[in-house]
Amino acid sequence: AGGSITVTARLESDVVHVDVRDTGTWRGVTRGDRGQGVRLMRGLMDHVDIAASDAGTIIRMRRGTEA
Protein backbone atom coordinates (compact mmCIF):
# COMPACT_ATOMS: atom_id res chain seq x y z
CA ALA A 1 0.00 0.00 0.00
CA GLY A 2 1.22 3.48 -0.81
CA GLY A 3 4.03 2.29 -3.09
CA SER A 4 4.63 3.05 -6.72
CA ILE A 5 5.48 1.01 -9.81
CA THR A 6 7.40 2.37 -12.80
CA VAL A 7 7.70 0.44 -16.06
CA THR A 8 10.04 1.59 -18.83
CA ALA A 9 10.72 -0.12 -22.14
CA ARG A 10 12.98 0.64 -25.05
CA LEU A 11 13.93 -0.97 -28.34
CA GLU A 12 17.58 -0.97 -29.40
CA SER A 13 18.10 -2.67 -32.77
CA ASP A 14 16.49 -6.09 -32.29
CA VAL A 15 16.63 -6.03 -28.47
CA VAL A 16 13.74 -5.10 -26.20
CA HIS A 17 14.70 -3.86 -22.72
CA VAL A 18 12.04 -3.66 -19.99
CA ASP A 19 12.69 -2.34 -16.46
CA VAL A 20 10.12 -2.60 -13.67
CA ARG A 21 10.78 -0.70 -10.43
CA ASP A 22 8.67 -0.57 -7.31
CA THR A 23 8.95 0.95 -3.87
CA GLY A 24 7.23 -1.92 -2.06
CA THR A 25 8.63 -4.87 -0.15
CA TRP A 26 9.17 -8.38 -1.48
CA ARG A 27 6.26 -10.57 -0.36
CA GLY A 28 7.26 -13.94 -1.75
CA VAL A 29 4.61 -16.61 -2.28
CA THR A 30 1.50 -15.84 -0.26
CA ARG A 31 -0.90 -18.41 -1.72
CA GLY A 32 -0.48 -21.72 -3.49
CA ASP A 33 -1.98 -20.42 -6.76
CA ARG A 34 0.33 -17.41 -6.92
CA GLY A 35 4.02 -16.80 -7.34
CA GLN A 36 4.43 -17.72 -11.02
CA GLY A 37 5.44 -14.25 -12.23
CA VAL A 38 9.20 -14.79 -12.01
CA ARG A 39 8.92 -18.14 -13.78
CA LEU A 40 6.83 -16.51 -16.51
CA MET A 41 9.32 -13.64 -16.98
CA ARG A 42 12.23 -16.07 -17.22
CA GLY A 43 10.32 -18.23 -19.70
CA LEU A 44 9.48 -15.31 -21.99
CA MET A 45 12.67 -13.25 -21.79
CA ASP A 46 16.29 -14.03 -22.65
CA HIS A 47 17.66 -12.31 -19.54
CA VAL A 48 16.03 -11.44 -16.20
CA ASP A 49 17.84 -9.77 -13.30
CA ILE A 50 16.03 -9.11 -10.00
CA ALA A 51 17.48 -6.86 -7.29
CA ALA A 52 15.35 -6.58 -4.13
CA SER A 53 16.22 -4.25 -1.26
CA ASP A 54 14.50 -2.40 1.58
CA ALA A 55 13.92 0.49 -0.87
CA GLY A 56 12.03 -1.71 -3.37
CA THR A 57 12.67 -4.06 -6.27
CA ILE A 58 14.20 -3.52 -9.70
CA ILE A 59 13.60 -6.12 -12.41
CA ARG A 60 15.57 -5.78 -15.64
CA MET A 61 14.53 -7.93 -18.58
CA ARG A 62 15.88 -8.28 -22.08
CA ARG A 63 14.60 -10.14 -25.14
CA GLY A 64 16.63 -10.43 -28.33
CA THR A 65 20.23 -10.73 -29.40
CA GLU A 66 22.66 -7.90 -28.94
CA ALA A 67 25.15 -7.41 -31.76
Side-chain angles (χ1 to χ4, degrees):
S4 64
I5 298 172
T6 304
V7 178
T8 58
R10 68 186 185 283
L11 179 63
E12 294 178 0
S13 299
D14 293 333
V15 181
V16 175
H17 299 264
V18 180
D19 293 348
V20 181
R21 298 171 185 256
D22 72 44
T23 58
T25 57
W26 189 266
R27 292 186 339 184
V29 177
T30 57
R31 294 189 338 227
D33 63 339
R34 296 183 52 96
Q36 300 301 312
V38 173
R39 184 184 308 197
L40 179 64
M41 287 184 287
R42 288 192 170 132
L44 294 171
M45 304 302 280
D46 294 320
H47 175 81
V48 176
D49 181 57
I50 302 172
S53 72
D54 291 340
T57 303
I58 301 171
I59 301 172
R60 293 200 164 126
M61 299 176 278
R62 183 181 71 231
R63 172 82 180 185
T65 306
E66 295 186 72

